[in-house]
């Protein structure tokens, strides 16, 4: 069930088979390997941590991958750089455009600054100020929009066409998925080096690029490990899409503390990958997320943003079935300002 | 100047040459390599991080090694395990005794628990409760003493003799120094893998085991890098001992937020190593330490204890001269409870 044609040339949409451009086809593991070779000089290797307090809370052995310590504070730099490093000289000269609620924005801005590429980022005006200001501080031009009323993809597309910018989407692109997949590759190899075979990997899911890339890596490196997507309550578009067998959208567009995970619906490419490779998708509440943030800060002294620890929240609250009692969890991002982090962790907020 | 006889058999003390037991002679790099092979299965590899905000604050490129993410929350597990793993079967059966203000206590207790060895830890009664309780939670017997009036080494020695326990000292032992030296080895190899030659390494110094082990590793792997010890103001026994050419003690025994760095005077073995290998020693104030703790939490989302970031504090405040503007800093520990961390970082405390 986990295999797919190496280079599927066509996609079935509403009964019609249409051909697709290369960048909308699923990456295979060799492409993740190639992305790793491309990215390694630019990235940190985040550690694999374990703490008795976390194991006790989860009733299982839980290995924690704090990717929030990655450059730019999230895994997003992997996909962004994998796209930017494959631009032609001409594309580099014209610049890139991206849309993002924050972490992908920081990643594209940072990667572009490092490579000397101009970047325009379309961000919702209700994104955390730390993310909007951080993106501007990295030299990017930020275009704000109203999440409730405007379509970010349409704004980005207009900028792309008007100014000849290369689109660097947050998830629905094989180069992005392969880049995020390098995190799954790194995790799988760290588990192997430690002599551990994880039952499950749990990670947050918004558009589905990270979980899809990780599932692709684990299918190759540790096929017995089941990869789960975790979403905030009311933003369970991937869970409902998996159940429906087709992409469905969320009714809500705001109203969760997990600002990084408020996508409207799964990507076309990422859903194609995830429906084949995921064990499933589960949800967690804001209160469960806060409990996980607190546990991470107490056990490891690491600050995680709400959307960054939904995977751990799901394990703490028994949402994900384990066979052997061994789980790996990715902490995907840590971009939350200190005041907000303090306020969320204050006693009585969960 | 950096070389010494591989197995010095004698130590000159006040004009008299006395022979010394093996464990009080300096380790060489091969012993650090051996320690690495022994420890690797039991330890995490902490990452090497960099952030524009930190570089801007220091006016230099600063590579951060957050060893506070290591198991037990500090580097101390390296030396402790290197000692415990070399016990004879008979010594293991009888158990170990250690004295420590906290991080070495947690490390010995954790290592002993993992290896099924009984541990008695002598701790000052004013040590952070999180460290005393954490040590008890790891199954060790804790004997508290009054830091102002009692001699911890004498208490440990009595326990050692009365109960036949193997002493696991916090720094003055070649196995401890070699174990801590694996952190220097890991850092030197990470810098090399990144193509960076650091001008300096800055790390906190209490008894001097870590800085001595790191200096031994850098002398072998990156001899152009100068290793600096950093101490809290009023606890600058290593700085004054280096200036005096002999070990001198601090007048103060308490009164710094850096609870991990309140040793009375350098160790005999560690001072012998450090006077040969260190570039020097500098001091930082509590306010400077708090500014460094805040910067680390904002830039990386990592909670460091006060004594854990004196090295960064020294770089932020221009205490350490740089040639090429590249420094590596070790964040040595993170064992501070969340309430205290919050209180120290609240606006107006520095």
């Amino acid at each position: 069930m986990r295999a797919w044609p190496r280079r599927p040339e066509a996609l079935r949409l509403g009964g019609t088979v249409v051909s697709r451009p290369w960048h909308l086809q699923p990456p295979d593991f060799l492409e993740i390997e190639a992305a790793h070779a491309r990215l390694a000089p630019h990235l940190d290797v985040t550690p694999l941590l374990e703490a008795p307090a976390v194991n006790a809370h989860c009733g299982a052995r839980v290995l924690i991958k704090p990717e929030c310590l990655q450059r730019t504070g999230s895994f997003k730099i992997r996909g962004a750089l994998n796209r930017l490093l494959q631009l032609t000289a001409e594309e580099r000269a014209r610049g890139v455009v991206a849309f993002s609620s924050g972490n992908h924005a920081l990643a594209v801005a940072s990667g572009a600054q490092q490579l000397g590429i101009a970047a325009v980022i379309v961000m919702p005006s209700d994104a955390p100020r730390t993310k909007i200001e951080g993106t501007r501080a990295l030299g990017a031009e930020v275009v704000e929009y109203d999440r409730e009323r405007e379509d970010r993809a349409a704004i980005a597309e207009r900028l792309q066409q008007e100014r000849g910018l290369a689109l660097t989407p947050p998830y629905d692109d094989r180069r992005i998925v392969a880049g995020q997949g390098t995190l799954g590759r790194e995790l799988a190899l760290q588990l192997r080096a430690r002599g551990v075979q994880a039952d499950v990997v749990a990670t947050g899911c918004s558009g589905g690029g990270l979980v899809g890339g990780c599932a692709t890596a684990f299918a190759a490196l540790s096929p017995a490990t089941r990869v789960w997507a975790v979403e905030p309550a009311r933003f369970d578009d991937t869970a409902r899409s998996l159940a429906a067998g087709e992409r469905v959208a969320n009714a809500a567009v705001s109203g969760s503390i997990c600002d990084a995970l408020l996508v409207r619906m799964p990507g076309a490419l990422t859903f194609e990958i995830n429906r084949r490779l995921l064990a499933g998708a589960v949800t967690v509440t804001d209160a469960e997320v806060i409990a996980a943030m607190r546990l991470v800060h107490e056990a490891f002294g690491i600050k995680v943003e709400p959307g960054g620890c939904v995977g751990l929240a799901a394990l703490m609250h028994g949402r994900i079935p384990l066979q052997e009692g061994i789980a790996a969890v990715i902490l995907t991002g840590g971009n939350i300002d200190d005041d907000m982090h303090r306020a969320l962790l204050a006693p009585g907020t969960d």
Side-chain angles (χ1 to χ4, degrees), chain A residues 59-109:
Chain A
R61 183 171 181 196
V62 180
L63 295 130
I64 304 266
K65 177 87 173 152
E67 184 71 6
C68 47
L69 302 176
Q70 187 53 266
R71 301 188 192 181
T72 75
S74 85
F75 70 91
K76 290 284 192 180
I77 188 68
R78 297 176 181 264
L81 269 180
N82 196 42
R83 166 70 168 135
L84 295 175
L85 288 166
Q86 293 182 77
L87 293 173
T88 63
E90 197 184 329
E91 288 170 328
R92 280 192 183 214
R94 281 201 302 262
V96 295
V97 60
F99 47 91
S100 162
S101 61
N103 285 331
H104 180 62
L106 289 165
V108 172

Side-chain angles (χ1 to χ4, degrees), chain A residues 57 131 139 167 227 330 339:
Chain A
H57 264 275
K131 291 180 177 176
L167 184 65
V227 178
I330 299 170
D339 289 345

Side-chain angles (χ1 to χ4, degrees), chain A residues 68-69 128-131 133 259 293 297 301-306 333-346 349:
Chain A
C68 47
L69 302 176
R129 297 319 295 181
T130 184
K131 291 180 177 176
E133 284 157 20
D259 62 86
M293 292 171 68
H297 202 253
I302 294 175
K303 187 178 74 168
V304 191
E305 63 180 282
N335 291 313
I336 175 173
D337 65 50
D338 271 12
D339 289 345
M340 176 63 77
H341 186 258
R342 246 193 309 275
L344 285 177
L345 264 56
T349 50

Side-chain angles (χ1 to χ4, degrees), chain A residues 7-344:
Chain A
R7 291 207 172 245
E9 299 297 331
L11 176 67
R12 185 172 294 274
L13 285 174
T16 314
V17 175
V18 294
S19 70
R20 287 183 293 174
W22 174 85
H23 71 276
L24 294 181
Q25 297 170 25
D28 59 26
F29 180 67
L30 293 183
E31 195 156 329
I32 294 176
E33 279 292 307
H36 165 71
R38 200 176 284 127
L39 298 178
H42 302 276
L43 296 183
D44 294 319
V45 177
T46 52
L48 191 61
L49 306 178
E50 189 174 358
V54 174
N55 292 348
H57 264 275
C58 297
R61 183 171 181 196
V62 180
L63 295 130
I64 304 266
K65 177 87 173 152
E67 184 71 6
C68 47
L69 302 176
Q70 187 53 266
R71 301 188 192 181
T72 75
S74 85
F75 70 91
K76 290 284 192 180
I77 188 68
R78 297 176 181 264
L81 269 180
N82 196 42
R83 166 70 168 135
L84 295 175
L85 288 166
Q86 293 182 77
L87 293 173
T88 63
E90 197 184 329
E91 288 170 328
R92 280 192 183 214
R94 281 201 302 262
V96 295
V97 60
F99 47 91
S100 162
S101 61
N103 285 331
H104 180 62
L106 289 165
V108 172
S110 171
Q113 183 183 54
Q114 191 182 335
L115 301 174
I117 301 172
V120 183
I121 319 279
V122 181
M123 300 183 75
S125 49
D126 66 345
R129 297 319 295 181
T130 184
K131 291 180 177 176
I132 293 179
E133 284 157 20
T135 302
R136 284 211 176 93
L138 288 164
E141 176 187 341
V142 172
V143 175
E144 296 188 32
Y145 75 99
D146 181 338
R147 196 201 295 266
E148 305 266 350
R149 294 182 314 167
E150 295 180 272
D151 177 2
R152 66 185 191 169
I155 298 171
E157 202 171 313
R158 198 186 64 230
L159 285 162
Q160 180 191 3
Q161 292 181 353
E162 284 175 6
R163 294 162 62 170
L165 304 174
L167 184 65
T168 303
Y171 45 85
D172 229 11
D173 182 301
R174 77 186 287 164
R175 295 158 295 201
I176 303 296
V177 174
Q180 322 303 32
T182 64
L183 175 51
R185 175 193 176 279
E186 187 173 302
L187 172 58
L189 295 179
Q190 285 175 319
L191 289 165
R192 183 184 297 189
R194 195 165 292 187
V196 170
Q197 180 170 293
D199 289 353
V200 302
V201 168
T203 187
C205 176
S206 184
L210 174 64
V211 73
C214 287
T216 304
F218 272 83
L221 296 176
S222 180
T225 301
R226 292 163 63 79
V227 178
W228 287 81
V230 184
E231 298 174 295
R234 299 172 63 237
F235 292 86
D236 57 342
D237 49 293
T238 289
R240 288 184 299 108
S241 297
L242 290 174
E246 62 179 355
R247 294 193 294 153
V248 296
N250 296 314
V253 293
S254 61
S256 161
I257 59 171
C258 300
D259 62 86
L261 303 182
L262 306 188
V263 81
R264 205 157 161 269
M265 68 189 315
L269 170 62
T270 52
F271 182 63
E272 180 191 349
I273 297 169
N274 289 332
R275 68 188 298 183
R276 292 190 193 175
L277 294 186
L278 292 195
V282 297
T283 62
V284 290
T285 66
D286 280 0
E288 290 166 343
V289 167
I290 291 170
M293 292 171 68
R294 182 177 293 125
L295 179 61
V296 168
H297 202 253
E298 287 174 359
F300 302 108
I302 294 175
K303 187 178 74 168
V304 191
E305 63 180 282
C309 64
V310 293
L312 180 59
L315 279 166
M316 287 170 69
H317 296 91
R319 298 292 146 71
I320 294 176
L322 300 177
Q323 304 288 321
E324 306 292 332
I326 304 178
V329 173
I330 299 170
L331 305 179
T332 52
N335 291 313
I336 175 173
D337 65 50
D338 271 12
D339 289 345
M340 176 63 77
H341 186 258
R342 246 193 309 275
L344 285 177

